[in-house]
Amino acid sequence: MTREQILKKADKEGVRFLRLQFTDIMGINKNVELPRSQFEKALDGQIMFDGSSIQGFTRIEESDMLLVPDLTTFKVNPWASPDGSKVARLICDVHLPDGSAFPGCPRQALKRQVERAKKLGYSMVAGPEAEFFLFQTDEKGTVLLETHDTGGYFDLTPVDRGEQCRRDIVMVLESLGFEVEAAHHEVAPGQHEIDFKYNDAVPCADDVTIFRFVVKKVALDYGLHATFMPKPLFGVNGSGMHVHQSLLTKNGKNAFYDPKAPHQLSKIAMNYIGGILDHSAAFVAITNPLVNSYKRLVPGYEAPINVAWSEKNRSPLVRVPAKRGMSTRCEVRVPDPSCNPYLAFAVMMAAGLDGLERQSDPGEPINKNIFTMSQREKRRLKIRQLPINLSAALDNLEKDKVIREALGEHIFEHFVSAKRQEWADYISHVHPWEQDRYLSEY
């Protein structure tokens, strides 16, 4: 839509407020909300905000920043205020006052990788599968450690008590232009998944940010709390965000498909997978960015902990689904939904493109269940394990030049500094498990 078309649509639908949305380095949605009198100024990219108030953005002495909206992202929210007025939103890139790109803008970090792929003759498409939990709240809105139901994988009502909430989430998403492909109860009590159609890398990352907002908003309407925390409960599966990805050529063909190649996977596909495996120990600091993320990445709960790829089972880090032709893709199973989607897509894309440039060989697929293998067999097959905690992942990130360059120095330095502090806070606390285990015994 053009600037004029957006203004006309906003007036026609009674839009009184416009949200300029962006994310901080950690992937938290932020916004500046404007009244109708400021719409023209906003569409011209003239709205400034204090970047020093946003984690990882800038110092207080250089705080002024511009929000430059992507006009293709204009949408009117499907719910209205009590007075009948509506709110619309635009997703923005962050720029410096002189109009140049801000190096700490996560969306632009992804755009840099998109441009890199374009120079190689490709575009990336991605399809995420984000899982979440629904928890009950008390009369004050405080979150309780009680899930909304005790259902399991693909359960129905009455066991699945989140059915109607999921349906409303789907309807809101569809009204915002999403093509929802499936919605169902997941393995753990209170856990759900809603899948939407793949898209180009940047709009797909935009979709993830909108998806998380919608899920939380609709859940709140039901008196529930939706969380994308990777492992909120001990003893059950955590929440992942598997990301299906492939490269398309300039004429729109799937570059991963070669009917004459082994496994019908092109050399490009194999090299891309090789790059993902080569850099996975470093990029997990971005795709799995919380202390809690590594409570999900443990044996016994279906989450990948092994650096390998497969066609036929779901235990390795990368799986290649059976469909071929235009559906040929790799599914990277390690990310979780707490990540910043712009940065997560950027580092995975950088890893895959580096594999193309170096012609990285991922080896033969591991089609045996890795979870049941002995350590000796894993060593024989050269199957490595992912970092066991956030600190180890950050160590690997600091050593990986490819992933560091994909982030850019500003994002890299601020992200690592914040996460080192997060880890220091975690290890300095005494946790209930330690008290239960040691207090009486020692």
Side-chain angles (χ1 to χ4, degrees):
M1 298 177 70
T2 65
R3 176 184 184 276
E4 288 68 29
Q5 287 172 327
I6 288 174
L7 291 170
K8 186 175 180 181
K9 182 177 177 66
D11 290 339
K12 182 179 179 181
E13 297 200 21
V15 175
R16 291 281 306 279
F17 295 95
L18 178 64
R19 282 180 178 161
L20 300 183
Q21 181 181 314
F22 60 102
T23 69
D24 66 13
I25 286 177
M26 302 308 157
I28 305 301
N29 284 339
K30 303 291 182 180
N31 84 101
V32 174
E33 190 168 279
L34 309 170
R36 175 62 185 88
S37 61
Q38 301 299 305
F39 284 11
E40 287 85 355
K41 188 176 177 182
L43 294 172
D44 292 337
Q46 297 178 12
I47 299 299
M48 301 195 80
F49 73 103
D50 179 8
S52 67
S53 301
I54 306 299
Q55 184 176 13
F57 266 28
T58 190
R59 296 170 298 182
I60 196 163
E61 63 268 23
E62 49 189 31
S63 58
D64 288 340
M65 313 196 93
L66 284 169
L67 290 174
V68 179
D70 181 341
L71 302 190
T72 66
T73 66
F74 178 80
K75 292 290 180 183
V76 179
N77 288 338
W79 48 78
S81 301
D83 65 355
S85 62
K86 292 184 177 180
V87 178
R89 57 97 172 140
L90 281 163
I91 296 175
C92 299
D93 292 315
V94 181
H95 285 240
L96 297 173
D98 63 4
S100 62
F102 170 51
C105 175
R107 195 170 189 260
Q108 293 187 79
L110 177 55
K111 284 184 172 182
R112 290 196 297 270
Q113 293 305 310
V114 170
E115 284 302 309
R116 179 183 169 198
K118 187 176 180 181
K119 290 177 182 177
L120 295 172
Y122 304 106
S123 61
M124 174 187 167
V125 293
E129 299 174 348
E131 297 168 340
F132 59 94
F133 280 82
L134 292 176
F135 282 90
Q136 297 186 50
T137 60
D138 65 16
E139 64 277 1
K140 295 181 180 179
T142 304
V143 182
L144 305 175
L145 282 178
E146 298 176 22
T147 57
H148 185 47
D149 62 35
T150 57
Y153 200 51
F154 284 0
D155 271 342
L156 296 168
T157 301
V159 180
D160 172 13
R161 296 176 58 197
E163 195 173 76
Q164 191 56 53
C165 180
R166 269 203 323 273
R167 284 177 183 160
D168 281 2
I169 291 169
V170 170
M171 287 189 286
V172 171
L173 291 173
E174 288 182 333
S175 73
L176 292 172
F178 283 67
E179 184 177 336
V180 177
E181 296 184 328
H184 59 85
H185 200 288
E186 259 296 338
V187 174
Q191 188 183 34
H192 305 268
E193 178 177 313
I194 297 173
D195 303 331
F196 46 90
K197 190 176 180 180
Y198 66 85
N199 206 342
D200 290 338
V202 174
C204 184
D206 292 340
D207 287 345
V208 174
T209 67
I210 298 302
F211 172 79
R212 293 194 299 206
F213 168 74
V214 168
V215 169
K216 285 182 171 289
K217 198 275 179 193
V218 175
L220 192 62
D221 292 343
Y222 276 82
L224 300 170
H225 175 74
T227 181
F228 293 96
M229 180 180 176
K231 185 85 168 187
L233 298 172
F234 170 73
V236 299
N237 286 24
S239 290
M241 189 180 79
H242 304 166
V243 181
H244 297 254
Q245 46 199 284
S246 56
L247 296 178
L248 303 183
T249 63
K250 290 179 179 179
N251 59 6
K253 292 184 178 180
N254 191 320
F256 281 8
Y257 177 58
D258 182 350
K260 297 179 181 179
H263 318 294
Q264 294 188 314
L265 294 174
S266 69
K267 192 171 187 299
I268 292 166
M270 298 296 284
N271 293 159
Y272 190 94
I273 292 170
I276 292 288
L277 299 182
D278 291 343
H279 296 285
S280 58
F283 72 55
V284 289
I286 303 297
T287 59
N288 304 75
L290 307 184
V291 167
N292 180 257
S293 295
Y294 298 83
K295 304 293 177 74
R296 167 181 167 253
L297 300 179
V298 295
Y301 297 100
E302 299 183 16
I305 59 172
N306 303 291
V307 181
W309 77 282
S310 175
E311 293 179 284
K312 303 189 186 293
N313 77 78
R314 297 168 187 265
S315 58
L317 187 144
V318 176
R319 184 179 77 95
V320 176
K323 292 187 75 174
R324 292 294 184 265
M326 280 301 293
S327 297
T328 308
R329 62 196 187 275
C330 68
E331 175 192 12
V332 183
R333 298 174 54 79
V334 72
D336 69 50
S338 70
C339 68
N340 182 324
Y342 300 107
L343 298 184
F345 289 3
V347 295
M348 287 188 286
M349 196 173 180
L353 294 178
D354 180 66
L356 259 66
E357 292 173 337
R358 292 186 299 105
Q359 298 188 15
S360 178
D361 181 7
E364 289 299 308
I366 307 297
N367 289 327
K368 182 180 177 182
N369 188 347
I370 304 177
F371 293 142
T372 62
M373 286 183 184
S374 65
Q375 288 300 321
R376 183 176 181 180
E377 188 173 6
K378 288 180 185 178
R379 284 194 297 270
R380 181 178 65 81
L381 294 170
K382 298 180 180 179
I383 298 173
R384 295 171 287 117
Q385 282 198 223
L386 290 170
I388 62 172
N389 57 45
L390 178 61
S391 180
L394 292 169
D395 290 342
N396 291 330
L397 175 61
E398 289 180 321
K399 298 172 188 174
D400 194 308
K401 183 179 179 182
V402 169
I403 304 304
R404 183 169 180 159
E405 287 181 351
L407 296 172
E409 279 303 302
H410 183 105
I411 292 176
F412 169 80
E413 289 176 4
H414 284 80
F415 182 89
V416 170
S417 175
K419 291 300 172 179
R420 289 292 188 197
Q421 185 59 54
E422 186 176 329
W423 178 253
D425 290 345
Y426 172 69
I427 61 173
S428 68
H429 277 74
V430 179
H431 300 274
W433 181 91
E434 299 169 89
Q435 295 166 331
D436 294 341
R437 185 71 173 257
Y438 304 129
L439 192 61
S440 59
E441 188 170 353
Y442 292 93

PDB file of all heavy atoms in Angstrom, residues 314-331:
ATOM      1  N   ARG A 314      13.586 -37.855  14.110  1.00  0.00           N
ATOM      2  CA  ARG A 314      13.527 -36.499  14.638  1.00  0.00           C
ATOM      3  C   ARG A 314      14.519 -36.266  15.781  1.00  0.00           C
ATOM      4  O   ARG A 314      14.399 -35.282  16.493  1.00  0.00           O
ATOM      5  CB  ARG A 314      12.098 -36.204  15.109  1.00  0.00           C
ATOM      6  CG  ARG A 314      11.091 -36.256  13.975  1.00  0.00           C
ATOM      7  CD  ARG A 314       9.644 -36.259  14.480  1.00  0.00           C
ATOM      8  NE  ARG A 314       8.712 -36.464  13.369  1.00  0.00           N
ATOM      9  CZ  ARG A 314       8.106 -35.489  12.701  1.00  0.00           C
ATOM     10  NH1 ARG A 314       8.341 -34.246  13.014  1.00  0.00           N
ATOM     11  NH2 ARG A 314       7.279 -35.760  11.717  1.00  0.00           N
ATOM     12  N   SER A 315      15.480 -37.170  15.949  1.00  0.00           N
ATOM     13  CA  SER A 315      16.437 -36.982  17.037  1.00  0.00           C
ATOM     14  C   SER A 315      17.582 -36.034  16.696  1.00  0.00           C
ATOM     15  O   SER A 315      18.146 -35.433  17.601  1.00  0.00           O
ATOM     16  CB  SER A 315      16.986 -38.331  17.506  1.00  0.00           C
ATOM     17  OG  SER A 315      17.614 -39.034  16.447  1.00  0.00           O
ATOM     18  N   PRO A 316      17.998 -35.863  15.430  1.00  0.00           N
ATOM     19  CA  PRO A 316      19.101 -34.930  15.152  1.00  0.00           C
ATOM     20  C   PRO A 316      18.662 -33.474  15.109  1.00  0.00           C
ATOM     21  O   PRO A 316      17.472 -33.146  15.138  1.00  0.00           O
ATOM     22  CB  PRO A 316      19.606 -35.370  13.763  1.00  0.00           C
ATOM     23  CG  PRO A 316      18.909 -36.636  13.451  1.00  0.00           C
ATOM     24  CD  PRO A 316      17.643 -36.617  14.230  1.00  0.00           C
ATOM     25  N   LEU A 317      19.654 -32.605  14.974  1.00  0.00           N
ATOM     26  CA  LEU A 317      19.416 -31.168  14.941  1.00  0.00           C
ATOM     27  C   LEU A 317      18.690 -30.741  13.672  1.00  0.00           C
ATOM     28  O   LEU A 317      17.836 -29.850  13.695  1.00  0.00           O
ATOM     29  CB  LEU A 317      20.763 -30.454  15.047  1.00  0.00           C
ATOM     30  CG  LEU A 317      20.774 -28.942  15.208  1.00  0.00           C
ATOM     31  CD1 LEU A 317      21.907 -28.521  16.119  1.00  0.00           C
ATOM     32  CD2 LEU A 317      20.918 -28.230  13.862  1.00  0.00           C
ATOM     33  N   VAL A 318      19.024 -31.385  12.538  1.00  0.00           N
ATOM     34  CA  VAL A 318      18.402 -31.050  11.252  1.00  0.00           C
ATOM     35  C   VAL A 318      17.693 -32.278  10.696  1.00  0.00           C
ATOM     36  O   VAL A 318      18.273 -33.363  10.643  1.00  0.00           O
ATOM     37  CB  VAL A 318      19.455 -30.560  10.227  1.00  0.00           C
ATOM     38  CG1 VAL A 318      18.801 -30.310   8.868  1.00  0.00           C
ATOM     39  CG2 VAL A 318      20.136 -29.285  10.721  1.00  0.00           C
ATOM     40  N   ARG A 319      16.452 -32.079  10.309  1.00  0.00           N
ATOM     41  CA  ARG A 319      15.683 -33.142   9.659  1.00  0.00           C
ATOM     42  C   ARG A 319      15.252 -32.675   8.281  1.00  0.00           C
ATOM     43  O   ARG A 319      14.900 -31.501   8.100  1.00  0.00           O
ATOM     44  CB  ARG A 319      14.436 -33.494  10.483  1.00  0.00           C
ATOM     45  CG  ARG A 319      13.609 -34.658   9.934  1.00  0.00           C
ATOM     46  CD  ARG A 319      12.424 -34.939  10.838  1.00  0.00           C
ATOM     47  NE  ARG A 319      11.358 -33.969  10.658  1.00  0.00           N
ATOM     48  CZ  ARG A 319      10.293 -34.134   9.858  1.00  0.00           C
ATOM     49  NH1 ARG A 319      10.172 -35.242   9.129  1.00  0.00           N
ATOM     50  NH2 ARG A 319       9.374 -33.206   9.772  1.00  0.00           N
ATOM     51  N   VAL A 320      15.274 -33.578   7.309  1.00  0.00           N
ATOM     52  CA  VAL A 320      14.778 -33.269   5.974  1.00  0.00           C
ATOM     53  C   VAL A 320      13.455 -33.999   5.794  1.00  0.00           C
ATOM     54  O   VAL A 320      13.424 -35.228   5.675  1.00  0.00           O
ATOM     55  CB  VAL A 320      15.777 -33.692   4.878  1.00  0.00           C
ATOM     56  CG1 VAL A 320      15.187 -33.435   3.493  1.00  0.00           C
ATOM     57  CG2 VAL A 320      17.087 -32.942   5.033  1.00  0.00           C
ATOM     58  N   PRO A 321      12.328 -33.280   5.795  1.00  0.00           N
ATOM     59  CA  PRO A 321      11.030 -33.923   5.599  1.00  0.00           C
ATOM     60  C   PRO A 321      10.956 -34.664   4.264  1.00  0.00           C
ATOM     61  O   PRO A 321      11.707 -34.375   3.326  1.00  0.00           O
ATOM     62  CB  PRO A 321      10.039 -32.755   5.650  1.00  0.00           C
ATOM     63  CG  PRO A 321      10.746 -31.702   6.442  1.00  0.00           C
ATOM     64  CD  PRO A 321      12.187 -31.844   6.078  1.00  0.00           C
ATOM     65  N   ALA A 322      10.032 -35.623   4.168  1.00  0.00           N
ATOM     66  CA  ALA A 322       9.994 -36.549   3.033  1.00  0.00           C
ATOM     67  C   ALA A 322       9.605 -35.888   1.709  1.00  0.00           C
ATOM     68  O   ALA A 322      10.043 -36.329   0.649  1.00  0.00           O
ATOM     69  CB  ALA A 322       9.038 -37.699   3.341  1.00  0.00           C
ATOM     70  N   LYS A 323       8.782 -34.852   1.745  1.00  0.00           N
ATOM     71  CA  LYS A 323       8.286 -34.268   0.496  1.00  0.00           C
ATOM     72  C   LYS A 323       9.421 -33.633  -0.304  1.00  0.00           C
ATOM     73  O   LYS A 323      10.357 -33.055   0.260  1.00  0.00           O
ATOM     74  CB  LYS A 323       7.199 -33.228   0.785  1.00  0.00           C
ATOM     75  CG  LYS A 323       5.906 -33.820   1.336  1.00  0.00           C
ATOM     76  CD  LYS A 323       4.817 -32.770   1.453  1.00  0.00           C
ATOM     77  CE  LYS A 323       4.237 -32.427   0.098  1.00  0.00           C
ATOM     78  NZ  LYS A 323       3.084 -31.503   0.198  1.00  0.00           N
ATOM     79  N   ARG A 324       9.317 -33.749  -1.637  1.00  0.00           N
ATOM     80  CA  ARG A 324      10.335 -33.201  -2.516  1.00  0.00           C
ATOM     81  C   ARG A 324       9.690 -32.203  -3.487  1.00  0.00           C
ATOM     82  O   ARG A 324       8.593 -31.747  -3.270  1.00  0.00           O
ATOM     83  CB  ARG A 324      11.045 -34.326  -3.260  1.00  0.00           C
ATOM     84  CG  ARG A 324      11.919 -35.218  -2.352  1.00  0.00           C
ATOM     85  CD  ARG A 324      13.094 -34.431  -1.799  1.00  0.00           C
ATOM     86  NE  ARG A 324      13.995 -35.276  -1.014  1.00  0.00           N
ATOM     87  CZ  ARG A 324      13.923 -35.401   0.303  1.00  0.00           C
ATOM     88  NH1 ARG A 324      12.969 -34.755   0.976  1.00  0.00           N
ATOM     89  NH2 ARG A 324      14.789 -36.155   0.964  1.00  0.00           N
ATOM     90  N   GLY A 325      10.368 -31.878  -4.567  1.00  0.00           N
ATOM     91  CA  GLY A 325       9.884 -30.833  -5.466  1.00  0.00           C
ATOM     92  C   GLY A 325       9.975 -29.485  -4.783  1.00  0.00           C
ATOM     93  O   GLY A 325      10.943 -29.180  -4.083  1.00  0.00           O
ATOM     94  N   MET A 326       8.958 -28.662  -4.931  1.00  0.00           N
ATOM     95  CA  MET A 326       8.957 -27.331  -4.321  1.00  0.00           C
ATOM     96  C   MET A 326       8.902 -27.392  -2.798  1.00  0.00           C
ATOM     97  O   MET A 326       9.185 -26.408  -2.121  1.00  0.00           O
ATOM     98  CB  MET A 326       7.781 -26.500  -4.850  1.00  0.00           C
ATOM     99  CG  MET A 326       8.028 -25.891  -6.206  1.00  0.00           C
ATOM    100  SD  MET A 326       9.479 -24.781  -6.247  1.00  0.00           S
ATOM    101  CE  MET A 326       8.932 -23.434  -5.191  1.00  0.00           C
ATOM    102  N   SER A 327       8.555 -28.551  -2.226  1.00  0.00           N
ATOM    103  CA  SER A 327       8.479 -28.693  -0.768  1.00  0.00           C
ATOM    104  C   SER A 327       9.788 -29.147  -0.142  1.00  0.00           C
ATOM    105  O   SER A 327       9.850 -29.359   1.073  1.00  0.00           O
ATOM    106  CB  SER A 327       7.366 -29.682  -0.404  1.00  0.00           C
ATOM    107  OG  SER A 327       6.106 -29.204  -0.813  1.00  0.00           O
ATOM    108  N   THR A 328      10.835 -29.313  -0.953  1.00  0.00           N
ATOM    109  CA  THR A 328      12.122 -29.761  -0.412  1.00  0.00           C
ATOM    110  C   THR A 328      12.665 -28.702   0.550  1.00  0.00           C
ATOM    111  O   THR A 328      12.767 -27.520   0.209  1.00  0.00           O
ATOM    112  CB  THR A 328      13.131 -29.990  -1.551  1.00  0.00           C
ATOM    113  OG1 THR A 328      12.551 -30.833  -2.535  1.00  0.00           O
ATOM    114  CG2 THR A 328      14.393 -30.638  -1.012  1.00  0.00           C
ATOM    115  N   ARG A 329      13.028 -29.122   1.742  1.00  0.00           N
ATOM    116  CA  ARG A 329      13.473 -28.164   2.752  1.00  0.00           C
ATOM    117  C   ARG A 329      14.216 -28.901   3.864  1.00  0.00           C
ATOM    118  O   ARG A 329      14.147 -30.128   3.970  1.00  0.00           O
ATOM    119  CB  ARG A 329      12.279 -27.425   3.360  1.00  0.00           C
ATOM    120  CG  ARG A 329      11.286 -28.331   4.087  1.00  0.00           C
ATOM    121  CD  ARG A 329       9.969 -27.624   4.326  1.00  0.00           C
ATOM    122  NE  ARG A 329       9.045 -28.387   5.163  1.00  0.00           N
ATOM    123  CZ  ARG A 329       8.226 -29.324   4.706  1.00  0.00           C
ATOM    124  NH1 ARG A 329       8.224 -29.650   3.417  1.00  0.00           N
ATOM    125  NH2 ARG A 329       7.401 -29.959   5.523  1.00  0.00           N
ATOM    126  N   CYS A 330      14.911 -28.145   4.680  1.00  0.00           N
ATOM    127  CA  CYS A 330      15.476 -28.706   5.906  1.00  0.00           C
ATOM    128  C   CYS A 330      14.755 -28.073   7.097  1.00  0.00           C
ATOM    129  O   CYS A 330      14.356 -26.905   7.050  1.00  0.00           O
ATOM    130  CB  CYS A 330      16.983 -28.481   5.982  1.00  0.00           C
ATOM    131  SG  CYS A 330      17.519 -26.769   6.184  1.00  0.00           S
ATOM    132  N   GLU A 331      14.574 -28.862   8.114  1.00  0.00           N
ATOM    133  CA  GLU A 331      13.911 -28.407   9.335  1.00  0.00           C
ATOM    134  C   GLU A 331      14.955 -28.338  10.443  1.00  0.00           C
ATOM    135  O   GLU A 331      15.477 -29.364  10.871  1.00  0.00           O
ATOM    136  CB  GLU A 331      12.791 -29.376   9.727  1.00  0.00           C
ATOM    137  CG  GLU A 331      12.117 -29.057  11.042  1.00  0.00           C
ATOM    138  CD  GLU A 331      11.211 -30.182  11.538  1.00  0.00           C
ATOM    139  OE1 GLU A 331      11.278 -31.298  10.973  1.00  0.00           O
ATOM    140  OE2 GLU A 331      10.459 -29.950  12.504  1.00  0.00           O
TER     141      GLU A 331
END
